[in-house]
Amino acid sequence: MAKNRVNTAQVQKAPPSKLLMGLTSQATPSRSEGAAVDGMEVERYPDGSVRYAVNLNNAPVPQRRYVADIATVDYNGFEVNIVFAQTKIFGQGLESALSIKINLNAFNDIVRALYVNVQSELERARQLIKLKDEQLVQVNAEPAHSAKLIANVANFALSGHETCIDFYHVNAYANAKLATSSKLDIEAVVRVDLRTSLFAPFSVELGKIAERIAAGE
């Protein structure tokens, strides 16, 4: 008795999962923690944070922009919190606020760079444009729109009545890589534009906070 022949269809193999291939592949691209700029470790603090010399000429320009009408700074003994705020176009009150958290060592480095690179320009502006310092306003209530960011590097530029601050962040992974590399991975965080008449007294407050930190408060 003849056996019935079973017809078998050729089944095409499904391509391997891209996710699975990514997990099992031996060749993985090097991890990037931001844009690579020239950097050099100057000091490594006991807490593991790093003070470094960094060239920001080739650093990316922050894509986030914030125009500040108010600038204030707070220190709670653990970190520094810089707050910028916008007032409403019409009426009283605040439209938005931006909080930027900065660790203590990074804050001291930022203030040091501020006084070395910008203070002379600020004094020149006081004379040339008869700059008058504004009265700083304390932000006591959170507006409907607010955001929190983190930074540990800042770059300042001053031109007459306008001042610009670019904030950057170097995370812990990038700090670890700096021990064996001359390149520092840096992330552009936000650019803040404000009036020089507001920046002038604000920079004084930054200096006062740095003095409190140095005194161990």
Side-chain angles (χ1 to χ4, degrees), residues 23 36 43 57 74 76-79 83 85 90 93-94 110-111 118 126 129 132 146 154-155 160 165 175 201 215:
L23 293 174
E43 182 180 0
N57 290 332
D74 180 58
N76 62 8
F78 300 96
E79 65 181 0
V83 177
F90 302 105
L94 299 180
I110 288 172
V111 173
V118 183
R126 291 182 190 277
I129 64 176
K132 295 182 180 180
S146 62
N155 198 27
I165 311 174
N175 276 332

Side-chain angles (χ1 to χ4, degrees), residues 2-198:
K3 293 183 178 180
N4 294 330
R5 179 174 294 180
V6 178
N7 292 326
T8 57
Q10 185 76 21
V11 179
Q12 187 176 3
K13 291 184 177 180
S17 164
K18 291 183 179 180
L19 173 61
L20 186 60
M21 289 179 64
L23 293 174
T24 59
S25 174
Q26 295 297 320
T28 55
S30 59
R31 176 172 178 166
S32 173
E33 298 297 335
V37 299
D38 293 329
M40 180 180 66
E41 182 177 318
V42 176
E43 182 180 0
R44 189 168 290 268
Y45 298 106
D47 64 358
S49 59
V50 178
R51 183 161 71 92
Y52 31 72
V54 56
N55 182 5
L56 294 176
N57 290 332
N58 296 324
V61 175
Q63 296 302 304
R64 299 186 186 96
R65 305 294 174 91
Y66 192 84
V67 180
D69 300 309
I70 294 172
T72 185
V73 58
D74 180 58
Y75 167 55
N76 62 8
F78 300 96
E79 65 181 0
V80 174
N81 183 28
I82 292 178
V83 177
F84 299 103
Q86 294 176 336
T87 56
K88 292 182 177 180
I89 298 176
F90 302 105
Q92 302 294 320
L94 299 180
E95 176 66 27
S96 67
L98 173 65
S99 167
I100 301 179
K101 306 282 189 178
I102 305 176
N103 74 66
L104 302 186
N105 290 330
F107 179 77
N108 284 332
D109 292 339
I110 288 172
V111 173
R112 186 183 298 112
L114 167 65
Y115 277 85
V116 170
N117 301 324
V118 183
Q119 203 63 28
S120 60
E121 293 293 327
L122 190 55
E123 292 304 320
R124 187 177 296 110
R126 291 182 190 277
Q127 298 174 9
L128 293 179
I129 64 176
K130 308 300 181 183
L131 186 70
K132 295 182 180 180
D133 291 0
E134 298 183 28
Q135 186 72 32
L136 294 182
V137 177
Q138 192 70 27
V139 178
N140 296 317
E142 186 168 337
H145 306 285
S146 62
K148 290 183 180 181
L149 298 173
I150 187 171
N152 50 20
V153 177
N155 198 27
F156 301 87
L158 188 153
S159 178
H161 291 280
E162 296 184 8
T163 296
C164 176
I165 311 174
D166 286 352
F167 288 95
Y168 296 88
H169 187 241
V170 179
N171 65 39
Y173 289 109
N175 276 332
K177 289 172 60 177
L178 187 60
T180 58
S181 173
S182 62
K183 294 293 184 179
L184 181 67
D185 291 342
I186 191 167
E187 301 170 83
V189 178
V190 65
R191 168 172 288 184
V192 176
D193 292 286
L194 65 163
R195 299 178 299 275
T196 303
S197 56
L198 173 61

